[in-house]
Amino acid sequence: MQWDVGLERAVVHTLLVSGGSALLATTLAVILSFGIYFVKIPFGRMIAAWVCSMLLIPVYVQATAWSAGFGIQGWLRLSQVDAAKYPWWGIASVIWIHAAASLPACFLILSYGWHRARDATFEQAWIEFGPRHVATRLLPSRLAPWIISAFLWTFCMTQNDMVVTNLFQVPTLCESVYQQVQFGKLRSVPIFAACLVATVLGALSIAAVDRILRQPTSREVIAQASWDPVPTRSSPLTWLAGALVWGIFAMAILLPWLGTLMRIGIESRMIEGQAVRNWSLNAFLSSLGHVLDYRIEIGWSCSLACWSTLVTMVISVSLVTCISMRRGSAWVIGCMVFLLALPGPIVNLCVAWLLNTAMPSSLQYLGDQTLLGPILALQTRCLPVAYGILWLAQARFLSAHASILAIDKSLPLWLRGWIWFRYTRVAIAASALACVLIAFGDLASYLLVQPPGVTTVAMRMFDLLHYGIRNREASLALILSAVAVFPSWWLARRIQSQ
């Protein structure tokens, strides 16, 4: 039991796990983006598309994939038992899994920053002063807000989750509060400390967004830049960048899914009193067929995702259209980051209080007989993402049509709304798709407020992860990953085009 873990220890573990994951994921994303967008290594576009296709894969699926290859029966022993015996091994495992899970998002944020950096000023500096000047003088200032944003994103997504830390028994603030809520041993100090960390992250995001808004918006971005890559294909820098990019890609993206593929087809047989394990195609296909055993859980997850997305889109569209881009958007994003960084168990506490205490007694049945609790809890995860995508679309809309908008102020409100919808409809579709997949894959935000009789895929996988990865769980993880690949790639393309 970790509900009574000391505050200092929980804070240290939180900063170590969240900060380590954020630093590692951001560093790897910087190397990837530098090699792909600056040095332009061979097959860089293919690697970028593959990394972006992993964008919306849930963290519990990532944990399943890593456990399949490195679990008790995997290539390298990495289990909860070992984590309990060797705490630093468990911490390193949590950092690596969260960093690998956040790498696609960090890479997407930085690729958006690279796209904004490539304007007429960039090309002129390239021609007049050369690539070294651009890399050392121009890019650091322009990419700094996006690097900070990638760091904050990973920190928030690690800070609010307790699935991986619970699996490897790492007592962070989030894990400690989860144990307290689960066993009815609430203590105010850890909750306050977790909220304080979320508040600090929100304040830092306000500063980053304010710096982004202060950047000139009149620069014309070069869609197809005419400048050449830094070196020739045979230069040492190209080989070094290529080796680093391909190494990161193989270790963080390919390796866990190769382990999953191997785990699905492994079968064990007793031969002369000894267990012999081998891989067979029949076992692989049979395991994939057992995914249908989870159809009830998949149904609940789809229902929850659709209703949560509907509520999220109504709120996010209202906020984007009603709040001024420069005056209030930075503060709204700060609040969104606070919600995103708020640990899931605290979200559970707030939703439970709302349903059981603040709501009139005549309506309290909604908490036990409907999905209202999980839908409300998921707004802390879906709303920040939806608002962020729509905010980028709104910024581009205002920048591209400032003069026309000044003339259109005399038009009726409904007509101006229709014009805005026609321009941002792709961004609306992208944000809705992101919310569906996030709500489908999230667990920590609503784990303790699920109504009786409701079991989602995330909940089922969370339970099964504690007993080792079997063929069926690995098959389900692979199918969920395959379903998320194309939507993730499409979403990344839409965001990069904003």
Side-chain angles (χ1 to χ4, degrees):
M1 304 301 179
Q2 299 177 357
W3 63 268
D4 59 345
V5 65
L7 177 63
E8 298 81 3
R9 184 185 177 194
V11 171
V12 169
H13 279 94
T14 298
L15 296 178
L16 185 61
V17 170
S18 300
S21 300
L23 182 61
L24 180 58
T26 305
T27 302
L28 296 179
V30 168
I31 296 173
L32 284 178
S33 60
F34 181 82
I36 293 172
Y37 296 112
F38 194 80
V39 180
K40 295 186 176 179
I41 65 169
F43 305 104
R45 290 182 178 272
M46 182 197 72
I47 295 177
W50 202 322
V51 172
C52 289
S53 67
M54 302 286 108
L55 179 64
L56 296 175
I57 294 178
V59 67
Y60 70 85
V61 174
Q62 290 274 1
T64 303
W66 285 105
S67 296
F70 295 89
I72 297 176
Q73 296 179 340
W75 302 337
L76 177 65
R77 185 176 177 84
L78 182 62
S79 65
Q80 302 93 297
V81 177
D82 295 317
K85 293 180 179 178
Y86 311 103
W88 287 105
W89 187 247
I91 292 174
S93 304
V94 173
I95 290 176
W96 176 254
I97 291 175
H98 272 294
S102 298
L103 178 59
C106 293
F107 176 77
L108 177 61
I109 293 171
L110 288 176
S111 66
Y112 186 84
W114 279 95
H115 177 72
R116 284 179 59 92
R118 291 171 53 180
D119 57 7
T121 305
F122 184 98
E123 186 175 14
Q124 184 178 1
W126 183 279
I127 295 173
E128 293 182 359
F129 301 104
R132 178 171 298 179
H133 174 85
V134 171
T136 57
R137 300 292 182 86
L138 187 62
L139 283 178
S141 61
R142 292 196 177 186
L143 292 180
W146 305 103
I147 294 175
I148 295 173
S149 299
F151 182 92
L152 291 176
W153 169 267
T154 306
F155 200 107
C156 290
M157 299 307 292
T158 307
Q159 148 90 2
N160 67 29
D161 184 75
M162 35 63 59
V163 172
V164 184
T165 54
N166 185 268
L167 183 65
F168 289 98
Q169 304 180 30
V170 178
T172 60
L173 281 171
C174 183
E175 175 64 20
S176 177
V177 175
Y178 167 69
Q179 296 286 348
Q180 293 174 31
V181 175
Q182 187 178 25
F183 296 103
K185 302 289 186 178
L186 287 178
R187 295 191 301 171
S188 58
V189 177
I191 296 175
F192 174 79
C195 293
L196 181 61
V197 173
T199 303
V200 172
L201 293 173
L204 292 175
S205 67
I206 292 176
V209 172
D210 183 68
R211 182 169 178 178
I212 292 174
L213 291 175
R214 291 179 183 273
Q215 291 180 348
T217 57
S218 59
R219 301 188 307 240
E220 180 182 359
V221 175
I222 306 300
Q224 298 293 333
S226 58
W227 48 273
D228 294 326
V230 177
T232 60
R233 294 257 174 136
S234 59
S235 71
L237 181 58
T238 304
W239 286 106
L240 177 61
L244 290 174
V245 169
W246 277 98
I248 294 171
F249 174 68
M251 286 295 298
I253 304 298
L254 289 182
L255 189 59
W257 307 112
L258 290 176
T260 304
L261 289 172
M262 291 297 297
R263 185 67 190 89
I264 294 174
I266 289 179
E267 58 180 358
S268 299
R269 296 179 179 179
M270 294 298 297
I271 300 178
E272 297 180 356
Q274 295 183 350
V276 178
R277 302 169 61 219
N278 55 11
W279 194 95
S280 70
L281 182 59
N282 290 334
F284 181 87
L285 297 177
S286 176
S287 299
L288 290 179
H290 282 288
V291 171
L292 295 177
D293 297 342
Y294 301 96
R295 57 184 178 273
I296 297 178
E297 290 85 352
I298 293 174
W300 280 117
S301 295
C302 291
S303 179
L304 178 59
C306 292
W307 284 108
S308 300
T309 299
L310 179 61
V311 175
T312 298
M313 296 310 299
V314 172
I315 299 175
S316 58
V317 170
S318 301
L319 289 175
V320 168
T321 54
C322 295
I323 297 177
S324 172
M325 177 58 63
R326 289 191 175 273
R327 294 181 181 179
S329 61
W331 289 94
V332 175
I333 289 181
C335 294
M336 294 296 175
V337 172
F338 170 80
L339 292 177
L340 192 66
L342 204 60
I346 298 180
V347 175
N348 284 261
L349 280 176
C350 296
V351 173
W353 173 84
L354 179 64
L355 295 178
N356 300 326
T357 304
M359 187 174 291
S361 57
S362 60
L363 298 178
Q364 289 182 0
Y365 73 93
L366 295 175
D368 295 331
Q369 301 180 26
T370 68
L371 293 174
L372 180 60
I375 290 172
L376 293 177
L378 281 169
Q379 299 311 304
T380 61
R381 304 297 178 251
C382 298
L383 189 57
V385 175
Y387 181 81
I389 296 174
L390 292 179
W391 181 78
L392 293 175
Q394 177 80 339
R396 185 182 181 188
F397 174 70
L398 295 177
S399 177
H401 302 283
S403 58
I404 299 177
L405 291 173
I407 300 175
D408 288 347
K409 287 183 178 180
S410 59
L411 295 176
L413 181 61
W414 69 269
L415 185 56
R416 283 184 288 163
W418 174 250
I419 294 173
W420 178 86
F421 173 77
R422 286 294 302 273
Y423 188 85
T424 59
R425 63 185 185 275
V426 176
I428 294 175
S431 58
L433 177 62
C435 289
V436 168
L437 294 177
I438 290 172
F440 189 96
D442 188 74
L443 174 62
S445 62
Y446 67 87
L447 176 62
L448 301 176
V449 293
Q450 286 186 109
V454 175
T455 303
T456 61
V457 173
M459 183 63 203
R460 180 65 66 192
M461 291 292 288
F462 178 65
D463 288 339
L464 295 174
L465 273 172
H466 291 81
Y467 302 100
I469 302 303
R470 299 177 302 174
N471 304 57
R472 296 183 182 182
E473 290 79 58
S475 300
L476 180 59
L478 183 65
I479 294 298
L480 293 177
S481 303
V483 170
V485 163
F486 180 77
S488 298
W489 174 83
W490 183 84
L491 176 64
R493 294 282 295 178
R494 299 287 74 76
I495 293 176
Q496 289 171 341
S497 65
Q498 295 295 324

